[in-house]
């Protein structure tokens, strides 16, 4: 009787891979559903119902191809080039503010026109902050108890990035970048009393930024009571809540949303989850939340495994990606559900947008590479 050979160990985390692919494909379907009415009625799209579907499909394809290439790059190389990449990201953030170079939409300077597509440097900055903060923390591990040597230099760099993002303005990206940097510093072992004091200062800073900006104040007041001015500052949130209410448990059916018919602004970008809630109900939203939770959980497991193998940089990068995806998804969902004021953040891996989708795919490819190298080391092979 022949003895059955044991199955070969998996090379990558299939749970992470399939949850990410599921969100990408699910997002492709929902972007088409949420955008079809807008595309059919717009001269900009040539009245083509598949305009956003085709472009989003191209972005997803590019993201997957670039991700496959990035997966081949060793993590140690990312650590070596992280400072240089970060400086390049700062240059791009400056470039969008240069008149006639950056593109302005609705008063926001966030894009660099590159022929048929636009590059959004703030999306790329999130990834570069993960790579740079992980490298900085790895180099400063012995100084994490020192305000002057451990925290202060990183704080100055983040203030520079934050200032550029607020000039666009992109308050949502600013919040995500701060959360990434603070999360990596915390995981790197920053002094807990210093961290607590810093959180208080950040909270005061956020309140001040909101208070000195009439635009942000209006968003906060609209969030607190959207029905008081449901045709003005509370318009987006009130229609998002209507979409959630209409969806109930199982939704009104794929493609049957009413709110996407010119009632809910940005239905295929910032408020895609509201369309999912209306068409697929609580069940559809729960699936999306579950998939994001799985990605974040796997990122932290992979990061913890890397730290166990004494791969500090790789571990911090993995957990930094988890913080980034988790925080941005949480904020977007909170905005859609009325838990948080409007921030202008898309739903990672799902919402329409070229820069965001491609950068998300690159980040997950790096995360998969960390896991791949972990598995090689555990087999006794060089990473």
């Amino acid at each position: 009787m022949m003895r059955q050979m044991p199955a070969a160990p998996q090379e990558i985390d299939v749970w992470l891979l399939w949850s990410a692919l599921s969100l990408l494909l699910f997002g492709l379907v929902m972007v088409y559903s949420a955008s079809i009415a807008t595309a059919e009625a717009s001269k900009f799209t040539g009245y083509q119902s598949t305009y956003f579907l085709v472009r989003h499909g191209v972005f997803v394809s590019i993201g997957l191809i670039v991700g496959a290439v990035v997966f081949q790059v060793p993590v140690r190389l990312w650590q070596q080039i992280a400072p240089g990449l970060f400086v390049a990201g700062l240059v791009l953030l400056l470039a969008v503010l240069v008149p006639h170079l950056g593109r302005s939409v609705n008063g926001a300077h966030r894009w660099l026109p590159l022929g048929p597509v636009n590059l959004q440097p703030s999306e790329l900055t999130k990834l570069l902050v993960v790579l740079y903060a992980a490298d900085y923390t790895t180099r400063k591990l012995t100084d994490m108890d020192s305000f002057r040597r451990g925290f202060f230099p990183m704080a100055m760099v983040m203030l520079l990035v934050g200032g550029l993002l607020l000039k666009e303005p992109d308050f949502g990206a600013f919040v995500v970048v701060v959360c990434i940097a603070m999360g990596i510093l915390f995981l790197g072992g920053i002094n807990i009393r210093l961290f607590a004091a810093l959180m208080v200062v950040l909270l005061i800073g956020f309140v001040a930024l909101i208070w000195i900006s009439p635009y942000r104040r209006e968003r906060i007041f609209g969030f607190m009571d959207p029905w008081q001015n449901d045709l003005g500052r509370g318009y987006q949130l009130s229609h998002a809540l209507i979409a959630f209410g209409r969806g109930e448990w199982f939704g009104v059916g794929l493609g049957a949303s009413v709110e996407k018919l010119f009632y809910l602004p940005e239905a295929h970008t910032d408020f895609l989850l509201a369309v999912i809630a209306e068409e697929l109900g609580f069940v559809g939203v729960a699936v999306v939340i579950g998939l994001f939770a799985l990605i974040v959980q796997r990122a932290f497991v992979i990061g913890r495994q890397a730290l166990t193998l004494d791969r500090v940089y790789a571990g911090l990068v993995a957990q930094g990606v988890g913080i980034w995806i988790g925080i941005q998804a949480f904020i977007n969902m909170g905005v859609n559900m009325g838990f948080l004021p409007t921030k202008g953040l898309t739903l990672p891996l799902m919402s329409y947008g070229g820069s965001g989708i491609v950068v998300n795919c690159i980040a997950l490819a790096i995360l998969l590479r960390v896991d791949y190298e972990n598995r090689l080391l555990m087999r006794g092979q060089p990473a």
Side-chain angles (χ1 to χ4, degrees), residues 13 27 42 50 61 75 81 88 106 114-115 125 130 138 145 156 178 214 223 231 235 246 255 278 303 305 310 327 338:
D13 192 321
S42 174
T50 58
S61 299
V75 176
I81 65 176
N106 297 327
L114 301 175
T125 300
V130 170
T138 302
D145 283 334
M156 292 299 99
V178 169
F223 155 72
L231 295 179
Y235 183 80
R246 291 193 74 242
E278 186 178 3
Q305 194 174 58
D310 202 26
I327 287 293

Short mmCIF file of all heavy atoms in Angstrom, two decimals, residues 13 27 42 50 61 75 81 88 106 114-115 125 130 138 145 156 178 214 223 231 235 246 255 278 303 305 310 327 338:
data_model
loop_
_atom_site.label_atom_id
_atom_site.label_comp_id
_atom_site.label_asym_id
_atom_site.label_seq_id
_atom_site.Cartn_x
_atom_site.Cartn_y
_atom_site.Cartn_z
N ASP A 13 0.09 33.37 2.91
CA ASP A 13 -1.13 33.35 3.73
C ASP A 13 -2.35 33.43 2.81
O ASP A 13 -2.69 34.50 2.30
CB ASP A 13 -1.10 34.54 4.69
CG ASP A 13 -2.16 34.46 5.77
OD1 ASP A 13 -3.29 34.03 5.44
OD2 ASP A 13 -1.88 34.81 6.92
N GLY A 27 -15.66 45.11 -4.75
CA GLY A 27 -15.64 46.54 -5.02
C GLY A 27 -15.89 46.85 -6.48
O GLY A 27 -16.58 47.82 -6.81
N SER A 42 -23.76 61.76 -17.71
CA SER A 42 -22.69 62.76 -17.74
C SER A 42 -22.06 62.87 -19.13
O SER A 42 -21.70 61.87 -19.74
CB SER A 42 -21.61 62.38 -16.71
OG SER A 42 -20.51 63.25 -16.82
N THR A 50 -20.74 52.12 -18.65
CA THR A 50 -19.62 51.30 -18.14
C THR A 50 -18.34 52.11 -17.94
O THR A 50 -17.28 51.54 -17.72
CB THR A 50 -19.33 50.14 -19.10
OG1 THR A 50 -19.02 50.67 -20.40
CG2 THR A 50 -20.52 49.20 -19.21
N SER A 61 -6.55 45.89 -12.37
CA SER A 61 -5.60 45.06 -13.12
C SER A 61 -4.18 45.57 -12.95
O SER A 61 -3.24 44.79 -12.73
CB SER A 61 -5.98 45.04 -14.61
OG SER A 61 -7.28 44.51 -14.79
N VAL A 75 12.22 42.40 1.51
CA VAL A 75 11.85 43.43 2.47
C VAL A 75 13.05 44.28 2.86
O VAL A 75 12.92 45.48 3.10
CB VAL A 75 11.22 42.78 3.73
CG1 VAL A 75 10.92 43.83 4.80
CG2 VAL A 75 9.95 42.03 3.36
N ILE A 81 15.75 51.67 0.96
CA ILE A 81 15.32 52.81 0.14
C ILE A 81 14.19 53.61 0.78
O ILE A 81 13.74 54.60 0.20
CB ILE A 81 14.89 52.33 -1.26
CG1 ILE A 81 13.64 51.42 -1.18
CG2 ILE A 81 16.04 51.62 -1.97
CD1 ILE A 81 13.10 50.99 -2.53
N ALA A 88 10.98 61.52 -1.74
CA ALA A 88 10.29 61.64 -3.03
C ALA A 88 8.80 61.91 -2.82
O ALA A 88 8.19 62.70 -3.55
CB ALA A 88 10.49 60.36 -3.84
N ASN A 106 -12.98 71.00 -6.88
CA ASN A 106 -13.80 71.50 -5.77
C ASN A 106 -12.97 72.20 -4.69
O ASN A 106 -13.21 72.06 -3.49
CB ASN A 106 -14.61 70.36 -5.13
CG ASN A 106 -15.60 69.74 -6.10
OD1 ASN A 106 -16.15 70.44 -6.96
ND2 ASN A 106 -15.83 68.45 -5.97
N LEU A 114 -1.35 63.06 -15.04
CA LEU A 114 -0.37 62.27 -15.80
C LEU A 114 -1.06 61.69 -17.01
O LEU A 114 -1.38 60.49 -17.07
CB LEU A 114 0.21 61.15 -14.92
CG LEU A 114 0.92 61.58 -13.63
CD1 LEU A 114 1.32 60.35 -12.82
CD2 LEU A 114 2.13 62.43 -13.94
N GLY A 115 -1.30 62.53 -17.99
CA GLY A 115 -1.98 62.08 -19.20
C GLY A 115 -3.43 61.71 -18.91
O GLY A 115 -4.19 62.52 -18.37
N THR A 125 1.58 58.61 -0.01
CA THR A 125 2.22 59.02 1.24
C THR A 125 1.91 58.06 2.38
O THR A 125 2.77 57.80 3.23
CB THR A 125 1.79 60.45 1.62
OG1 THR A 125 2.17 61.35 0.57
CG2 THR A 125 2.42 60.90 2.92
N VAL A 130 4.40 54.36 6.27
CA VAL A 130 4.56 53.03 6.88
C VAL A 130 6.02 52.58 6.76
O VAL A 130 6.65 52.17 7.74
CB VAL A 130 3.64 52.00 6.21
CG1 VAL A 130 3.98 50.58 6.67
CG2 VAL A 130 2.17 52.29 6.54
N THR A 138 12.99 51.21 13.89
CA THR A 138 13.98 50.14 13.98
C THR A 138 15.36 50.72 14.33
O THR A 138 16.09 50.14 15.15
CB THR A 138 14.07 49.39 12.64
OG1 THR A 138 12.78 48.85 12.31
CG2 THR A 138 15.07 48.25 12.72
N ASP A 145 12.73 55.69 24.79
CA ASP A 145 12.37 56.33 26.06
C ASP A 145 12.74 57.81 26.09
O ASP A 145 12.42 58.51 27.04
CB ASP A 145 13.07 55.62 27.23
CG ASP A 145 12.40 54.30 27.59
OD1 ASP A 145 11.19 54.18 27.31
OD2 ASP A 145 13.07 53.41 28.13
N MET A 156 8.70 66.07 14.14
CA MET A 156 8.96 67.17 13.21
C MET A 156 8.68 66.75 11.76
O MET A 156 8.11 67.52 10.98
CB MET A 156 10.42 67.62 13.34
CG MET A 156 10.75 68.30 14.66
SD MET A 156 9.77 69.81 14.96
CE MET A 156 8.47 69.20 16.04
N VAL A 178 -1.13 60.28 10.71
CA VAL A 178 -0.79 60.43 12.13
C VAL A 178 -1.03 59.12 12.88
O VAL A 178 -0.20 58.70 13.71
CB VAL A 178 -1.60 61.57 12.77
CG1 VAL A 178 -1.46 61.55 14.30
CG2 VAL A 178 -1.14 62.91 12.24
N PRO A 214 -13.68 77.11 9.29
CA PRO A 214 -15.15 77.14 9.16
C PRO A 214 -15.69 75.93 8.40
O PRO A 214 -16.76 75.40 8.74
CB PRO A 214 -15.41 78.44 8.39
CG PRO A 214 -14.20 79.29 8.64
CD PRO A 214 -13.06 78.34 8.77
N PHE A 223 -22.61 66.73 11.10
CA PHE A 223 -22.54 65.36 11.62
C PHE A 223 -23.36 65.20 12.89
O PHE A 223 -24.04 64.19 13.09
CB PHE A 223 -21.07 65.01 11.88
CG PHE A 223 -20.85 63.96 12.92
CD1 PHE A 223 -21.15 62.62 12.66
CD2 PHE A 223 -20.34 64.29 14.16
CE1 PHE A 223 -20.94 61.65 13.62
CE2 PHE A 223 -20.12 63.33 15.12
CZ PHE A 223 -20.43 62.00 14.85
N LEU A 231 -30.73 69.54 3.62
CA LEU A 231 -30.50 69.97 2.23
C LEU A 231 -29.21 70.77 2.11
O LEU A 231 -28.85 71.19 1.01
CB LEU A 231 -31.68 70.82 1.74
CG LEU A 231 -33.02 70.09 1.62
CD1 LEU A 231 -34.11 71.05 1.15
CD2 LEU A 231 -32.91 68.90 0.68
N TYR A 235 -26.57 67.03 4.11
CA TYR A 235 -27.15 66.33 2.95
C TYR A 235 -26.56 64.95 2.74
O TYR A 235 -27.28 63.96 2.62
CB TYR A 235 -26.96 67.19 1.70
CG TYR A 235 -27.59 66.61 0.46
CD1 TYR A 235 -28.96 66.75 0.23
CD2 TYR A 235 -26.84 65.89 -0.47
CE1 TYR A 235 -29.55 66.21 -0.90
CE2 TYR A 235 -27.43 65.36 -1.60
CZ TYR A 235 -28.78 65.52 -1.80
OH TYR A 235 -29.36 64.97 -2.92
N ARG A 246 -33.05 51.83 4.30
CA ARG A 246 -33.79 51.11 3.26
C ARG A 246 -33.30 49.68 3.11
O ARG A 246 -34.04 48.78 2.75
CB ARG A 246 -33.67 51.83 1.92
CG ARG A 246 -34.40 53.16 1.84
CD ARG A 246 -34.49 53.65 0.40
NE ARG A 246 -35.48 52.89 -0.36
CZ ARG A 246 -35.23 52.17 -1.42
NH1 ARG A 246 -33.99 52.05 -1.86
NH2 ARG A 246 -36.19 51.53 -2.05
N GLY A 255 -28.22 46.45 -7.61
CA GLY A 255 -28.58 47.35 -8.69
C GLY A 255 -29.85 48.14 -8.45
O GLY A 255 -30.19 49.02 -9.25
N GLU A 278 -27.69 49.59 1.18
CA GLU A 278 -29.03 49.68 0.60
C GLU A 278 -29.34 48.47 -0.27
O GLU A 278 -30.45 47.93 -0.22
CB GLU A 278 -29.16 50.97 -0.21
CG GLU A 278 -30.58 51.20 -0.73
CD GLU A 278 -30.72 52.50 -1.49
OE1 GLU A 278 -29.71 53.21 -1.67
OE2 GLU A 278 -31.85 52.81 -1.93
N GLY A 303 3.01 40.27 11.34
CA GLY A 303 3.96 41.16 11.98
C GLY A 303 4.52 40.59 13.26
O GLY A 303 5.73 40.67 13.52
N GLN A 305 4.78 37.46 14.02
CA GLN A 305 5.63 36.34 13.64
C GLN A 305 7.01 36.84 13.20
O GLN A 305 8.05 36.25 13.54
CB GLN A 305 4.97 35.56 12.51
CG GLN A 305 5.57 34.19 12.24
CD GLN A 305 4.74 33.44 11.22
OE1 GLN A 305 4.54 33.92 10.10
NE2 GLN A 305 4.24 32.28 11.59
N ASP A 310 12.96 37.95 14.99
CA ASP A 310 13.93 39.03 15.12
C ASP A 310 14.02 39.86 13.85
O ASP A 310 15.09 40.39 13.52
CB ASP A 310 15.31 38.48 15.51
CG ASP A 310 16.19 39.54 16.17
OD1 ASP A 310 15.61 40.48 16.76
OD2 ASP A 310 17.42 39.44 16.08
N ILE A 327 -7.58 51.51 10.08
CA ILE A 327 -8.01 52.86 10.44
C ILE A 327 -8.80 53.51 9.31
O ILE A 327 -9.87 54.09 9.54
CB ILE A 327 -6.79 53.73 10.81
CG1 ILE A 327 -6.23 53.32 12.17
CG2 ILE A 327 -7.16 55.21 10.82
CD1 ILE A 327 -7.15 53.62 13.34
N GLY A 338 -22.68 57.36 10.12
CA GLY A 338 -23.02 58.49 10.96
C GLY A 338 -22.34 58.48 12.31
O GLY A 338 -22.71 59.25 13.19
#
